[in-house]
Amino acid sequence: MKVIHTDIYGHLTDFLVDEARDHIAAGKKIFHIVPSSLSFEKEKEILTRFNAGQDGALFDLTVTRLKQLPWYFDKNQDNGRKTLSTIGLAMLMRQTLKQLSDDQIPIYRFMRDKQGFITQLVSLYHELTAANLMSEDLLLAADSQKNQELIHIFDAFEYQLGQFSNDNKLQVFIDSIVNDELTEALQDYILIIEGYSRFSAEEMTLIDALSSRVSDIVLGIYASKKAISATFIDGNVYQQSVELMQMLAQKYELTVVYKKNNDVDNTFTDLSRLMEKSSDFTLTESDKLAKHDGLEIWQVVNHKEEIEHVAKQIRQLLFEGVQYQDILVLLGDVASDRILLPEIFKTYDIPFFYAQEKSMKDHPLIVLVEALLKIKTNHYQLNDVLNLLKTELYTDSQLNLQDVYKFEYCSLQRNIKGRTKFAQEFEDFRAEKVRSSLIGPASPLQILLGSQPQKGQNWVKKFQTFLENGQVKEKNEQLYFDAEAAGNFEKASE
């Protein structure tokens, strides 16, 4: 394992892109792993830097997240079982509790119908899964009657869960790696990990399993040379990064490389250095911060006054012509601001949303791509075609959603299945408009999926043509502008 570290003001991404370029030249493939919250921004940045400022795609470099790795090896293969939502899990937990006898859960028997208790059980189940723990591990915390009953509940719940497809995909992926089912597929890959200063137990288990199967793992972190060699690290701005390196050094043979920046020397660089000096008690009276128009440091009495000052500053920026979309507020602790911040921002009439990690499986663009794959593999089954049309991304300027519903009605009436059936004309005018423009032989869909096997680069060009001719790109942009105009910034950010 190799660790590349630089100061907080250093160009870490540039160093890692150079590392990736060298490995690709040597015939390796790259998984560039970034945190979920930065995945889209980082993907564009990394690909642009790799292509010397030009936006483009690479077949040997994939920017992704740790939790997304299983998808590249199983491609979300359908196992025929239904996946339960959070509400579905709660309903299954309620059913499980009802099936347990009073003798099995004497303490919790009176709480089996309490919604709050059921919600806590589902939440605890998710925490145990994420921490890579079994229900029996609860006894390690306390060998009590309550924990014994929780074990009975979770064992029964997991048995009921077996008929559904709610397996932890990351854990299944880890098991496949440990059982050497993917060793051949992984051996030519280099893992480059950027933006992490700590890993969860589940993520650490995955890295441990991959470490002996992939060609190499390169970890890029922010940590100064001074912090790495410090004997006292508590309170240091680089504390988490240094502790991560120390933990990895105990498990793996590390090659540590420090990358120095010679071309960075400004007020923000000085601020980073002063913050480090303040944290390791080496700050002196001669250390001064130069003035800078883009930097203000506020000193307030309490947290409420701080948030009010932020709100007033936002109102001032709006008065000066700054748009809401150009304002970002970083929170040190989201949970502690849940009460004060909404109340104060409402007083100052400031709309806001929390930019947090969300599942992308229901995003229209993801549904569209998955529908295209299923249409191709399942040979134009009606449900797959309808899923594509109902995203409202693949459309025609002369059509609306009511036309799609009419097409659905006529297709069900005629029991249409398969590509050849879609080549036949419909009697209904509205349904025929949909068929001829979106499904028929001359449609963008048929041109994309009807092509013969070809090189990946040519297929990407055809897919780009499909996005343009099928108005997917235009419709996606329209959804963004509509959400922004309506003040729905959370939807616009998706």
Side-chain angles (χ1 to χ4, degrees), residues 153-172:
I153 293 171
F154 287 136
D155 287 348
F157 178 68
E158 286 190 334
Y159 178 77
Q160 296 285 347
L161 199 59
Q163 58 188 306
F164 299 98
S165 182
N166 275 72
D167 302 325
N168 184 330
K169 292 187 181 296
L170 198 58
Q171 187 57 53
V172 172

Side-chain angles (χ1 to χ4, degrees), residues 193-254:
I193 304 175
E194 177 184 1
Y196 288 83
S197 57
R198 62 179 181 272
F199 296 104
S200 67
E202 192 176 41
E203 291 168 342
M204 200 62 238
T205 303
L206 173 61
I207 291 171
D208 196 40
L210 288 169
S211 62
S212 57
R213 273 85 177 179
V214 296
S215 184
D216 198 6
I217 295 179
V218 179
L219 178 65
I221 64 172
Y222 288 106
S224 68
K225 227 175 181 181
K226 182 181 178 183
I228 294 292
S229 59
T231 54
F232 180 79
I233 200 65
D234 288 355
N236 193 292
V237 291
Y238 298 114
Q239 179 180 346
Q240 287 186 334
S241 297
V242 173
E243 289 177 345
L244 175 62
M245 284 184 62
Q246 291 172 346
M247 184 270 290
L248 293 173
Q250 293 174 0
K251 299 184 67 174
Y252 311 105
E253 184 178 339
L254 292 187

Side-chain angles (χ1 to χ4, degrees), residues 47-204:
L47 294 178
T48 302
R49 288 178 184 271
F50 195 97
N51 293 314
Q54 298 296 317
D55 195 6
L58 291 168
F59 291 103
D60 292 327
L61 188 151
T62 304
V63 182
T64 186
R65 303 160 288 159
L66 278 173
K67 289 183 179 179
Q68 193 67 19
L69 275 179
W71 186 87
Y72 295 96
F73 296 91
D74 66 16
K75 304 299 182 186
N76 272 346
Q77 293 176 1
D78 192 0
N79 56 16
R81 294 180 293 169
K82 293 183 178 179
T83 300
L84 293 180
S85 63
T86 303
I87 296 174
L89 289 172
M91 293 173 67
L92 186 65
M93 182 64 78
R94 184 186 293 274
Q95 179 183 320
T96 302
L97 290 170
K98 286 184 177 180
Q99 292 176 352
L100 292 172
S101 67
D102 291 349
D103 293 336
Q104 289 177 294
I105 51 172
I107 296 176
Y108 292 123
R109 69 184 189 276
F110 299 112
M111 302 176 67
R112 50 163 57 107
D113 289 323
K114 304 290 185 182
Q115 184 59 43
F117 176 61
I118 293 170
T119 303
Q120 286 183 326
L121 285 176
V122 174
S123 178
L124 179 57
Y125 176 78
H126 284 313
E127 288 180 22
L128 289 172
T129 305
N132 204 29
L133 296 174
M134 305 290 290
S135 57
E136 291 81 4
D137 292 323
L138 290 169
L139 298 178
L140 298 175
D143 189 359
S144 62
Q145 178 63 30
K146 285 186 175 182
N147 282 347
Q148 291 281 4
E149 292 183 23
L150 286 175
I151 292 173
H152 281 303
I153 293 171
F154 287 136
D155 287 348
F157 178 68
E158 286 190 334
Y159 178 77
Q160 296 285 347
L161 199 59
Q163 58 188 306
F164 299 98
S165 182
N166 275 72
D167 302 325
N168 184 330
K169 292 187 181 296
L170 198 58
Q171 187 57 53
V172 172
F173 180 58
I174 292 170
D175 292 340
S176 300
I177 296 171
V178 172
N179 295 330
D180 289 326
E181 296 173 15
L182 300 171
T183 302
E184 187 175 346
L186 289 167
Q187 62 186 1
D188 289 329
Y189 276 98
I190 303 285
L191 246 66
I192 296 180
I193 304 175
E194 177 184 1
Y196 288 83
S197 57
R198 62 179 181 272
F199 296 104
S200 67
E202 192 176 41
E203 291 168 342
M204 200 62 238

